[in-house]
Amino acid sequence: MKESQDNTTHFGYKTVETDKKASMVADVFHSVAAKYDIMNDLMSFGIHRLWKRQTIACSGVRAGHKVLDLAGGTGDLTARFSELVGDKGQVVLGDINDSMLKVGREKLRDSGLVGNIEYVQMNAEMLPFDDNTFDVITIAFGLRNVTDKDKALRSMYRVLKPGGRLLVLEFSKTDNEALAKLYDMYSFTLLPAMGKLVANDSESYRYLAESIRMHPDQETLKSMMDEAGFEQTDYQNMTGGIVALHRGFKF
């Protein structure tokens, strides 16, 4: 019998049973975790560092804040937030994938960042925190892998303090036709080949390319944040709209 629409979701371009997506995404990130940082630099030609720097600049994080770096992976944002919040603040590096969390923990501890960082394995749809806990929440290149994005956004809103802000850094849609064609060629030809060469895994990187195409565009994600309760939502495009940084506040 064919699954009803309510019981299916997208895994890249495939339609899969909703309750199986999380484990399928987990398999992808178990596979790529060890080479994740290297592949990030190669895939983006290092530009991901500029995207993340802009996210930090827009976060308003300061000394004493409590920050949730959701889907924080190997901890690029967490490292900088740890420095900004200082001894009286706290950063929670949260990720659903234990392999990514392990890589992030080892990297940050090797960098000497230990005092104000907590590591928690969690599902973005059901955040294990009290209401009004965090001053700032970030999710960078993670929302597109969440099964129920609306539920996750509502969960983020719940645990954010009044006056706090959410920042969503994610691949998005370019309206430049020439750039779109070039990006498609890169995503579906060079990216899987690079994944095969560096990480010995072309299929995971093919999924990642497909997941980018299936992610809501800028205006749709903005509307989803509005529906979740966020106010003064806006976004800025970077690199021609290949990436967008969305921001919303809880009042």
Side-chain angles (χ1 to χ4, degrees), residues 20 26 33 41 73 89 93 114 156 200 211 222 237 247:
K20 292 183 178 179
D41 281 330
L93 172 54
V114 294
M156 294 177 218
N200 194 32
S211 70
K222 181 180 182 300
N237 288 327
R247 180 174 55 177

Side-chain angles (χ1 to χ4, degrees), residues 112-127:
L113 298 171
V114 294
N116 59 3
I117 301 174
E118 182 180 356
Y119 303 88
V120 182
Q121 188 174 355
M122 65 182 74
N123 186 332
E125 298 174 22
M126 300 171 286
L127 295 175

Side-chain angles (χ1 to χ4, degrees), residues 9-109:
T9 189
H10 293 289
F11 178 76
Y13 288 164
K14 299 175 182 176
T15 298
V16 300
E17 294 177 31
T18 300
D19 59 2
K20 292 183 178 179
K21 178 173 177 176
S23 64
M24 295 172 74
V25 171
D27 288 342
V28 168
F29 284 93
H30 286 314
S31 175
V32 304
K35 299 289 186 179
Y36 188 79
D37 284 340
I38 294 172
M39 283 297 294
N40 267 357
D41 281 330
L42 291 173
M43 288 188 301
S44 71
F45 307 102
I47 300 173
H48 75 97
R49 298 176 186 275
L50 300 178
W51 299 331
K52 291 170 182 173
R53 189 179 303 168
Q54 180 64 11
T55 303
I56 291 164
C58 291
S59 71
V61 169
R62 59 180 185 270
H65 270 177
K66 188 165 186 177
V67 180
L68 172 59
D69 181 15
L70 188 55
T74 57
D76 285 350
L77 292 179
T78 292
R80 180 57 180 146
F81 287 145
S82 173
E83 297 169 350
L84 290 172
V85 303
D87 293 339
K88 294 183 179 179
Q90 184 186 35
V91 184
V92 176
L93 172 54
D95 204 290
I96 196 171
N97 187 278
D98 59 342
S99 295
M100 293 291 288
L101 207 57
K102 181 180 178 181
V103 171
R105 183 190 298 112
E106 290 177 352
K107 185 173 86 171
L108 294 176
R109 287 180 175 174

Side-chain angles (χ1 to χ4, degrees), residues 121-139:
Q121 188 174 355
M122 65 182 74
N123 186 332
E125 298 174 22
M126 300 171 286
L127 295 175
F129 304 105
D130 292 335
D131 295 357
N132 309 319
T133 296
F134 296 98
D135 298 284
V136 176
I137 299 174
T138 59
I139 179 166

